[in-house]
Amino acid sequence: MQFTDEMIRYIDESQLELKQLIRDLCRIPTPSGFERNRAEYCKCWLENNGCKGVYIDEVHNVICPYNVSEDNELVVFMAHTDTVFPDTEPMPFMETSDRFYAPGVCDDTANLAVMLICIRYFIQRGMQSRYGLIFAANSGEEGLGNLKGCRAIVERYGKRMRELITFDGVKLNAIVSRAVGSHRYRVTVRTEGGHSFSNFGNRNAIHVLASMIEMLYDVKVPRVGNSQTTYNVGKISGGTSVNTIAQEAQMLYEYRSDNNCCLETMQRMFESIVSAYRATGVEIEVEKIGDRPCAAGVDQERQQALLDNAAECVRDALSIEPSIHSGSTDCNIPLANGIPAICMSACQGSGCHTREEELELSSLPLGCSITMRFIAKYFV
Ligand SMILES: [Zn+2]
């Protein structure tokens, strides 16, 4: 189906409602693992807007099936409900004439709201889709959510899944079409510790951890072709008091790559550093807290066709060229399972993952235009 004048009018008429939907969603704090309230809100919204068969699954994904029969091919559209902020009380929301300010306002609240408004157009008119469609407000995209919502959806529908599109990100012309895989760890160092004066000379867990971090930062990242590989120690903690030789210290460490071989090389380097320290007799506990796979076995022609479709919508809506990226998104899961997937943005803003996050309101009609154009392609 083509993008029509009626759709342009619909986008225009929906803007006030869209902004209110973003305000309402922002008021529901949604750390990864606590998606229930926002999920309930989305389910009600979908039902009040005429969607049938909406349900919340065991990991708090909201699933809205459309034209799904026993065995038709499925296309999944999704935007995530969780945010990186641990707050369980409503977070501050501020607005000016051209911006909304709130943690999570773009990532992924505005993307989710735009998707909801856009799918309503097709659902309320009972339009005929080419495939079975699954619209999902999914859980667990951020950090420690470890993509659990998307994993559950791919597990349930993967065999019938033709492709998956997720709306995420804060740059309207950005499209993610390559998966950055990552491994994330909590590493705990334990030593005998002791009194800082009377036991001076005993091993200090903080000192051991610091030296280990030093070694991790001496690693030269592997490179295959134009691959990109990075690492980061994002958090440290430990110790007891100023006059105690620390018995325990902990860090969160991750490495990422868009190339599977590089990811494996990084894993070997990490493991060899850990065993080198274990060999000195300190106790080191390694807990894997995240595992995002790279792509594997995706049909390149179909992936390219999906990307071309998205790129065309960006061009038509914005009159600028799309910029194609690698990224760590919900797409990692379908891509690792051989299912074509891309991530598009339905809004523009800045300060993602900080409390200064802001949404440019002027981007909303444009985001709607990209999204409507794209979804329309799946209707007859
Ligand atoms: Zn996100």
Side-chain angles (χ1 to χ4, degrees), residues 80 82 106-108 111 141-142 167-169 328 330 352-353:
H80 65 90
D82 61 321
C106 301
D107 181 13
D108 203 25
N111 281 300
E141 194 276 339
E142 299 289 3
F167 296 97
D168 202 345
S328 176
D330 273 322
C352 265
H353 293 198

Side-chain angles (χ1 to χ4, degrees), residues 193-202 243 245:
H195 190 281
S196 62
F197 191 72
S198 51
N199 299 115
F200 184 65
N202 280 4
N243 55 350
I245 300 170

Side-chain angles (χ1 to χ4, degrees), residues 197-269:
F197 191 72
S198 51
N199 299 115
F200 184 65
N202 280 4
R203 282 175 303 196
N204 182 321
I206 291 175
H207 181 211
V208 174
L209 183 73
S211 118
M212 200 170 161
I213 292 172
E214 181 89 46
M215 203 145 169
L216 288 169
Y217 271 73
D218 278 339
V219 166
K220 206 170 163 315
V221 293
R223 208 178 170 99
V224 175
N226 59 354
S227 70
Q228 199 184 349
T229 303
T230 63
Y231 55 80
N232 186 54
V233 173
K235 192 172 179 189
I236 54 170
S237 57
T240 308
S241 73
V242 68
N243 55 350
T244 304
I245 300 170
Q247 280 190 293
E248 189 173 303
Q250 206 175 61
M251 68 170 158
L252 300 183
Y253 169 68
E254 66 151 29
Y255 48 84
R256 302 181 175 214
S257 182
D258 53 11
N259 180 290
N260 249 327
C261 294
C262 296
L263 209 57
E264 282 166 17
T265 307
M266 287 302 291
Q267 181 170 358
R268 280 196 300 275
M269 291 209 229

